[in-house]
């Protein structure tokens, strides 16, 4: 039986090889999905998605191309094309990644909070300034996608459901805390003000020439929470004695 050297499709594309390797390429294609190669393939895709986030931050949506992403990643254009085929597919998967990362971040924070709505609200607010997701590149990438969402239904589909879930949970936490305080009003409106305050602070961090610190950003959001729930919040965050 002939022994074919292992050559991945990505490597063939990287070298620009056509050559006589028809059988080699066929064998490589069959092996790219095999177990030992799967992790490597997923890792490479993750690397390209991170490079896309950086490229969006540096060049904006319109000037983000497969070639620019390849340059940022230090990889060949052919390899990017092999994994994602088109700019639209790459951007759609990048948005999906960001949406899933964001959801995983706030749900983990909420799961780790004490069983009191004030602690849960504090956890959700702090999650938005987790250094893992609150980076200049990620904020700029989110802003780029927000700017395109109205004209691209695919993007709305990608993160719309997750965004709606976040809003429902935030409204529920606000409603529970209002019941604890025995106060009337619209938890939907309170949640909306808190949410747009977070988004406004994100825009500040991304767009200001000399942005304030992440701690100051969080203090700004906590000050907003204090306006609605003064028994539970101050600029420094949760008033632990009240929980």
């Amino acid at each position: 039986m002939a022994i074919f050297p292992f050559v991945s499709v990505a490597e063939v594309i990287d070298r620009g090889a056509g050559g006589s390797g028809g059988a080699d390429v066929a064998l490589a294609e069959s092996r790219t999905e095999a177990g030992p190669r799967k992790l490597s393939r997923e890792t490479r895709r993750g690397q390209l998605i991170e490079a896309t986030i950086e490229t969006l931050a540096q060049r904006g949506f319109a000037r983000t191309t497969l070639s620019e992403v390849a340059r940022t990643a230090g990889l060949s254009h052919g390899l990017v094309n092999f994994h994602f085929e088109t700019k639209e597919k790459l951007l759609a998967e990048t948005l999906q990644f960001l949406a899933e990362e964001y959801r995983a971040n706030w749900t983990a924070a909420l799961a780790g909070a004490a069983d009191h709505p004030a602690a849960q609200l504090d956890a959700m607010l702090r999650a938005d300034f987790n250094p893992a997701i609150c980076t200049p590149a990620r904020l700029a990438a989110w802003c780029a996608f927000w700017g395109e969402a109205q004209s691209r239904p695919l993007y709305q589909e990608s993160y719309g459901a997750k965004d709606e879930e976040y809003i429902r949970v935030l409204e529920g936490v606000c409603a529970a805390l209002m019941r604890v305080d025995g106060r009337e009003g619209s938890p939907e409106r309170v949640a909306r003000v808190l949410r747009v305050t977070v988004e406004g602070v994100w825009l500040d961090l991304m767009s200001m020439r000399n942005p304030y610190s992440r701690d100051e950003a969080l203090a700004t959001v906590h000050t907003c929470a204090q306006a609605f729930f003064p028994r539970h919040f101050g600029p420094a965050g949760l008033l632990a004695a009240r929980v």
Side-chain angles (χ1 to χ4, degrees), residues 14-160:
D14 254 344
R15 295 199 303 261
S20 60
D24 289 351
V25 172
L27 180 62
E29 287 175 340
S30 70
R31 290 186 177 180
T32 53
E33 299 302 322
R37 298 291 296 173
K38 187 175 182 181
L39 180 60
S40 176
R41 183 172 185 270
E42 291 176 354
T43 299
R44 181 70 77 195
R45 288 171 69 87
Q47 181 183 3
L48 292 171
I49 285 173
E50 289 291 345
T52 304
I53 292 170
E54 292 292 335
T55 305
L56 283 167
Q58 295 169 9
R59 303 188 65 81
F61 191 93
R63 293 195 297 165
T64 292
T65 64
L66 296 185
S67 295
E68 289 297 333
V69 170
R71 185 175 294 110
T72 300
L75 300 170
S76 72
H77 179 279
L79 189 61
V80 182
N81 194 65
F82 166 71
H83 282 288
F84 293 101
E85 297 181 4
T86 66
K87 170 181 173 177
E88 190 62 33
K89 288 183 179 180
L90 174 58
L91 291 174
E93 290 206 32
T94 299
L95 177 57
Q96 183 70 18
F97 169 83
L98 286 170
E100 291 176 355
E101 178 185 62
Y102 182 76
R103 182 185 184 279
N105 178 63
W106 71 260
T107 54
L110 188 60
D115 188 20
H116 189 285
Q120 293 167 351
L121 179 57
D122 183 59
M124 293 185 75
L125 297 178
R126 289 182 182 277
D128 278 329
F129 299 94
N130 180 348
I133 69 161
C134 186
T135 68
R138 273 164 165 69
L139 297 184
W142 273 117
C143 189
F145 282 119
W146 286 339
E148 295 291 324
Q150 293 304 314
S151 61
R152 296 175 186 266
L154 176 63
Y155 294 170
Q156 292 178 331
E157 294 172 9
S158 294
Y159 68 80

